[in-house]
Amino acid sequence: MPDVSTPPAPNPVRGRLNSAFFALTAGYTDRRLAVHKRRLFDRPGVVAEIGAGNGPNLRYLPAGTAVHAVEPNPYFHRRLRRTAAGHGIDLTVHPVPGEAIDLDDASVDTVICTWVLCTVRDPAQVLREVHRILRPGGRFAFIEHVAAPGGAVRRTQRLVRRPWRWTFEGCHTDRDTAAAIPAVGFASVDITEFRFRSGFVPVRTQIAGTAVR
Ligand SMILES: C[S@@+](CC[C@H](N)C(=O)[O-])C[C@H]1O[C@@H](n2cnc3c(N)ncnc32)[C@H](O)[C@@H]1O
């Protein structure tokens, strides 16, 4: 069993390239995800964001929001801090993995994550941590790409699985995240499936939703 509290050191070349890639494509992805993000990140209170990356979600939060960004990859931190400053977010960066979050039990109102449960080493452990740090009645809001039910998208996900995982530092094209989220004991879970219409076929099947502790 790997020790998930000490993840492998991020690769300095791929780490920088990934941060640059997500910065370059942020406008493109945002146009497709904005409708979900506006709905999901409403009235957030104190926020923890798992795998905050360059901070593409911060623009959806009111200026002055306290955000604890759980981001173990240091190659994202510079852009993340810059984005937070640009949107008036009160940011604290936690350079730890989502599997071992250094926040107290029931200490945040909202946890958000987008395109992260595909990449973490142990999604069930991250979800247990999300549940632990949320206050009772607090909300977990997420957008994730998931395994397609079948057909050409599923075949493409299988075909590119290995190079995709290498390039995007651990990203799995075909996790069943919609089943993993209800399994940790939230009071209620609401999940919508949608298509991410773009040239990135392996991530076409996506889910957006909320889970209440
Ligand atoms: C595909 S990027 C998504 C970044 C951002 N959420 C977005 O929507 O653009 C995946 C993110 O998950 C982070 N990540 C990888 N493993 C993680 C872990 N174990 N815990 C928390 N974040 C992790 C990566 O460093 C990266 O920032």
Side-chain angles (χ1 to χ4, degrees):
M1 180 83 179
D3 177 5
V4 292
S5 62
T6 50
N11 181 284
V13 176
R14 273 174 287 146
R16 287 187 174 89
L17 282 176
N18 272 314
S19 177
F21 172 81
F22 285 107
L24 272 173
T25 54
Y28 177 82
T29 55
D30 208 52
R31 281 192 290 282
R32 286 156 179 78
L33 297 179
V35 61
H36 301 287
K37 291 186 178 184
R38 267 190 224 109
R39 177 175 65 87
L40 295 173
F41 304 157
D42 186 37
R43 286 174 287 127
V46 174
V47 173
E49 176 162 13
I50 317 297
N54 295 328
N57 297 324
L58 301 181
R59 73 179 57 201
Y60 295 94
L61 305 175
T65 301
V67 175
H68 295 275
V70 176
E71 178 47 76
N73 190 329
Y75 301 107
F76 285 94
H77 290 175
R78 188 175 52 85
R79 286 190 174 92
L80 175 59
R81 288 200 167 93
R82 210 168 53 202
T83 312
H87 292 285
I89 296 295
D90 176 9
L91 182 79
T92 308
V93 177
H94 298 250
V96 298
E99 288 88 345
I101 300 174
D102 57 348
L103 287 169
D104 290 339
D105 296 359
S107 58
V108 302
D109 301 298
T110 302
V111 177
I112 65 180
C113 85
T114 61
W115 294 359
V116 174
L117 295 172
C118 50
T119 302
V120 301
R121 287 172 105 193
D122 186 342
Q125 174 59 18
V126 172
L127 288 165
R128 282 191 290 272
E129 284 289 86
V130 167
H131 191 272
R132 180 184 68 75
I133 66 173
L134 272 175
R135 65 165 169 78
R139 205 159 39 122
F140 174 42
F142 51 86
I143 299 175
E144 292 289 335
H145 65 84
V146 297
V153 176
R154 184 88 174 110
R155 283 195 295 280
T156 309
Q157 289 179 334
R158 286 210 186 94
L159 195 69
V160 303
R161 184 189 278 154
R162 277 169 173 248
W164 189 277
R165 195 184 301 175
W166 185 85
T167 306
F168 293 109
E169 297 191 288
C171 178
H172 294 67
T173 53
D174 54 358
R175 279 191 171 157
D176 187 4
T177 303
I181 292 170
V184 295
F186 287 104
S188 66
V189 179
D190 176 38
I191 298 180
T192 306
E193 190 177 304
F194 69 98
R195 277 176 164 243
F196 182 75
R197 294 188 189 280
S198 79
F200 298 106
V201 176
V203 298
R204 191 162 288 174
T205 309
Q206 306 232 358
I207 57 169
T210 53
V212 176
R213 184 183 162 190

